[in-house]
Amino acid sequence: MRLYLLALNPTDSVTEGFLPAAARLGLDVIVLTDSVDAHREAYKGFSQPPELRHCAVRDFREVISEISRQPAAVFTNSDHLQTQAALAAQYFGLPGKDWRAAYRAKNKAETRRCLTAAGLDTVWAAELAQGQDPATLTDIPFPCVVKPREGVASEDVVLVEDLAALTQFAAEVQERRPGAVLLVEEFLAGDLRTLETLGDGTSRQVIGGFRTAISEPPEFIELSLEFVGAHPQAVTDQVLTQLDALGVGFGACHTEFVVQADGRARLIEVNYRAIGDRMDLALEQILGIPYFEHVLRVHLGEPLPADLGARTGQTSYSLYICADRAGTLTAAPEPFDRVVDGIALSYRSFREVGAEHPYYRTNRDYLGVIQGIGPDQAALQRIAEEFVRDQVWEISE
């Protein structure tokens, strides 16, 4: 059976998660990408690397044209390619996400409009086109958040205090991203959390979530994540109701939201894919289930088991090490996996020694992540913090 996997740059989710899972399921994988060389380098250590084909994957028409034989599934874990993969799957009559739901999730302005129309939440939001004067927007609730309408993670997301700051930041971003539409929206304060779900189009299961610590504004950089087996049911129900309104219920979904003082759960963004930055790999370990295989199986048309068999009693704590300036990384710990006091501890680097980078003020400043999985949250946090204290990351300007 042939699985067409759409991708931009290679990620840990693909190389360590979905490709090994596809191999266990006996699938022949064809990777469609516009970054063939990067993928070829990433798969050097594979005994049976996937077939690589160059394709303008951001264009669903090119994707459909490149799929020369009837596939068993069309799949992607990329934020940027969910709508394209959904349209290609629909063209070939395959299980997949509703392309309209994928579009609503990706386009943050459309997310806001949909939830407002459903009467579930109204967040002040306005789109700012290239060259548009921010002064033309009315009743902006400063301080407010500015971000790319189709952006990902924390890239080019800031809190601005007034019109002057908004005007300056918008000009800077749109110079870097010609043609980009920005979303200016109300700042939603609260406890930042995530909800991880998995569905087969008929049923949907909540498999857990995370509490997220972020940097102080004006940027919003994720600093650490703590696994939560279950949020309060009233909170989870609110999030699921909003996902229903968006039409989100097939495959993996990673939803970010805040819980406010009055108990309201308000969506920040819906990432219609598995959680990234190695947290999907952690989910598989925490829950003790073949998570990546479950995701691929629903795209093959198989129903989810009523009981995934997830274990309880395990949690995780992940602490990200961030660059604090531009320059070349000259020293950093080596990646490892070890057991410390009964805790499965691992370190992975996101940047190679010798690599030179600007200071992004986003998640792209990550140098590495230390992650612990075990039964005791306090012990996990202590061991992770001790590791960071005892190690050295050096950046030469």
Side-chain angles (χ1 to χ4, degrees), residues 91-337:
Y91 181 86
F92 288 102
L94 299 169
K97 297 168 182 174
D98 183 332
W99 71 266
R100 295 164 296 186
Y103 176 76
R104 290 186 201 111
K106 178 61 176 169
N107 184 313
K108 296 173 178 60
E110 194 62 23
T111 300
R112 296 300 183 204
R113 283 190 285 267
C114 180
L115 295 178
T116 298
L120 295 173
D121 195 13
T122 299
V123 175
W124 189 98
E127 292 161 282
L128 187 66
Q130 181 86 43
Q132 181 181 351
D133 185 350
T136 61
L137 304 180
T138 58
D139 301 321
I140 303 173
F142 290 110
C144 65
V145 176
V146 188
K147 56 188 174 184
R149 186 182 62 186
E150 286 94 8
V152 297
S154 60
E155 294 187 16
D156 289 326
V157 182
V158 301
L159 186 73
V160 296
E161 295 291 337
D162 52 33
L163 183 60
L166 168 57
T167 302
Q168 178 179 345
F169 181 71
E172 292 172 356
V173 173
Q174 291 178 326
E175 183 178 359
R176 290 194 299 272
R177 299 174 179 241
V181 176
L182 301 180
L183 185 67
V184 182
E185 68 175 17
E186 174 186 349
F187 173 54
L188 300 178
D191 180 17
L192 183 59
R193 306 183 189 185
T194 84
L195 191 72
E196 312 306 322
T197 55
L198 182 58
D200 59 15
T202 300
S203 66
R204 176 182 55 204
Q205 299 189 36
V206 175
I207 59 175
F210 294 88
R211 289 193 186 93
T212 307
I214 59 174
S215 60
E216 290 295 321
E219 286 86 27
F220 299 90
I221 303 170
E222 295 178 356
L223 302 178
S224 66
L225 285 94
E226 170 189 337
F227 179 72
V228 179
H231 297 299
Q233 192 60 49
V235 168
T236 297
D237 289 345
Q238 291 179 67
V239 175
L240 294 178
T241 298
Q242 292 177 76
L243 292 180
D244 286 341
L246 295 169
V248 170
F250 186 91
C253 187
H254 162 59
T255 304
E256 299 179 27
F257 64 99
V258 293
V259 179
Q260 299 189 317
D262 60 1
R264 293 180 67 192
R266 310 187 74 184
L267 299 192
I268 300 298
E269 64 180 24
V270 177
N271 303 283
Y272 209 176
R273 54 158 173 81
I275 186 173
D277 291 327
R278 303 194 64 83
M279 300 312 301
D280 46 1
L281 298 161
L283 269 179
E284 187 164 76
Q285 290 181 268
I286 297 164
L287 301 175
I289 62 173
Y291 172 69
F292 297 97
E293 291 177 39
H294 281 313
V295 175
L296 292 180
R297 284 182 185 278
V298 300
H299 285 268
L300 293 167
E302 299 181 26
L304 279 176
D307 182 357
L308 296 179
R311 68 183 177 186
T312 58
Q314 294 289 299
T315 187
S316 76
Y317 181 76
S318 298
L319 182 61
Y320 293 96
I321 297 90
C322 298
D324 58 4
R325 61 189 182 277
T328 301
L329 183 65
T330 56
E334 291 291 325
F336 68 78
D337 294 280

Side-chain angles (χ1 to χ4, degrees), residues 56 58-66:
R58 293 179 187 266
D59 187 336
F60 74 92
R61 296 164 296 187
E62 294 298 320
V63 171
I64 290 171
S65 296
E66 187 60 41

